[in-house]
Amino acid sequence: MTNHIPAASLAAYTTGDPALDDTAVWTIEVHLENCPDCRAQLAAVAPEPLTALLDDVQVMIDRGVRTGPEPVRRRAWRRLAHRWAMWSLIPWLVTIVAAVLAAFALDRSFPERPSLVLLLAPVAPLAGMASAWSRRTDPGWEITAGTSRAGLELLLRRTAVILAVVLPPLALAGWRLGTTPALWLLPALTFTAATLLLGGRIGVVRAAAVLGGSWFLVVVAPALVTADMPALIEPSSTPGWVVAAVVGAALAIWRVDDHRRNA
């Protein structure tokens, strides 16, 4: 086979003759890749079923190229769920709710100590926000981050979902403990707005870690060690939280374009 494939070998190849070993088949296929004459001869001696199969494949490929792939049909509730949340958020939200319930149980068991529910309330939404905008937990992070406007809107929608899940157990725990709603609602909203504001500069995950870590180090840890109620969660601190929540929300809206540049 110095020039062309012998007719007998080509006929054996087209019919799949088991007498041809792997080396002979490989040699024939390598030659066919570089020899248009032998390819033409192969087409001439190919059996009718093989020729018909190749014609059908070509027709299917041409039709697919012209029409394109069929759109994936999803149920309306799945499309709505993907626009507002993602499956990887569920374990984090369950963990947050469980933490609030555990804090409530400890507060009922040890009423003389600082309220863990009030200490946890400001940072309760932050773990969910970090998970909602993390490349490690969101399988579609590259797509949303690459489309700045879509990524921003998705972040805001997921933040709304997180608050809708986290705030009801906080409300129930605060009501059962007899605390004013302002002491858990305003801190939670303030830290959420602060995370959005700072997240536009350094990223939401880092912002949630910085704010949450600072709160635990400066407020929660000393309160647990000294067993004294921090001034930041006393009723007298409510006006300060009102101002912080309003200012934080206003600044987050004013600096919303930061997320488009740093998605």
Side-chain angles (χ1 to χ4, degrees):
M1 291 197 300
T2 56
N3 294 323
H4 295 290
I5 303 173
S9 299
L10 195 60
Y13 176 76
T14 57
T15 58
D17 190 346
L20 288 175
D21 57 20
D22 293 340
T23 303
V25 171
W26 179 82
T27 304
I28 292 172
E29 291 177 346
V30 169
H31 182 84
L32 288 172
E33 290 179 358
N34 301 285
C35 182
D37 294 336
C38 287
R39 288 200 299 271
Q41 186 180 355
L42 175 65
V45 300
E48 186 65 27
L50 178 59
T51 304
L53 176 61
L54 293 175
D55 291 339
D56 292 341
V57 171
Q58 182 178 2
V59 170
M60 293 174 60
I61 292 175
D62 292 340
R63 184 184 300 117
V65 171
R66 289 194 304 269
T67 60
E70 294 184 1
V72 179
R73 296 181 179 180
R74 295 178 177 176
R75 295 182 180 179
W77 68 270
R78 286 186 177 180
R79 292 196 299 269
L80 182 63
H82 289 163
R83 290 187 62 187
W84 285 84
M86 59 183 182
W87 293 115
S88 57
L89 263 181
I90 295 178
W92 286 98
L93 294 177
V94 171
T95 302
I96 295 170
V97 173
V100 172
L101 296 179
F104 169 74
L106 290 173
D107 284 352
R108 292 294 297 268
S109 301
F110 305 98
E112 69 282 357
R113 298 186 63 85
S115 173
L116 290 178
V117 171
L118 297 183
L119 290 173
L120 179 64
V123 296
L126 301 192
M129 293 180 66
S131 175
W133 199 245
S134 171
R135 68 180 69 200
R136 293 182 178 86
T137 58
D138 185 0
W141 188 90
E142 289 81 2
I143 298 176
T144 56
T147 309
S148 56
R149 179 172 176 82
L152 171 62
E153 293 179 356
L154 185 60
L155 172 62
L156 296 178
R157 286 196 297 267
R158 288 177 178 175
T159 300
V161 170
I162 292 166
L163 290 176
V165 174
V166 172
L167 293 184
L170 284 175
L172 178 62
W175 171 64
R176 295 294 295 173
L177 293 173
T179 60
T180 174
L183 290 180
W184 57 263
L185 176 61
L186 291 175
L189 296 179
T190 299
F191 272 74
T192 300
T195 302
L196 291 175
L197 175 62
L198 186 59
R201 309 298 299 179
I202 65 173
V204 176
V205 178
R206 291 191 184 94
V210 169
L211 293 174
S214 300
W215 176 260
F216 274 101
L217 289 176
V218 176
V219 178
V220 177
L224 295 179
V225 171
T226 63
D228 293 331
M229 184 70 74
L232 287 175
I233 57 174
E234 292 283 358
S236 58
S237 66
T238 301
W241 285 113
V242 172
V243 174
V246 173
V247 172
L251 290 176
I253 295 173
W254 178 50
R255 302 298 303 181
V256 72
D257 288 339
D258 291 341
H259 289 279
R260 295 192 175 101
R261 294 192 293 270
N262 297 282

